[in-house]
Amino acid sequence: MIAWQYAYLIVAVRGGEHVVASIDGMPVDLSTARTPWDVLNELGADGWELTSALPTAPMQVVRDTSQRDVAESFWIFYLKRPRLASHGRS
């Protein structure tokens, strides 16, 4: 039987921007924000596989600093990889 190791990303979506806000519950420094695609490629190279991505709540329309209405939502990206003795947690 395969034993699995799991991880998750919290992704903030605002307008056309996608930013990883946390990895496994650890906040990410937003001044060096990375897109989920960059983080997923990095984790994929380390054996992680994206299993699902789900919104945490319905998308909301908010007003940004330039007084434009933009869509905002938060997503959870779930990942897994086989638990092997040589794999530490990323």
Side-chain angles (χ1 to χ4, degrees), residues 5-9 23-26 34 39 42-48 79 81 86-90:
Q5 183 176 8
Y6 297 94
Y8 66 95
L9 307 175
I23 300 174
D24 267 352
M26 300 300 297
R34 297 188 298 164
V39 174
E42 182 181 309
L43 292 172
D46 198 28
W48 291 98
L79 302 100
R81 71 175 176 187
S86 62
H87 277 158
R89 189 89 187 214
S90 290

Side-chain angles (χ1 to χ4, degrees), residues 55-74:
T56 62
M59 187 173 290
Q60 298 181 11
V61 175
V62 297
R63 189 149 301 215
D64 71 5
T65 56
S66 65
Q67 299 302 307
R68 294 179 308 142
D69 288 342
V70 295
E72 180 178 82
S73 65
F74 294 90

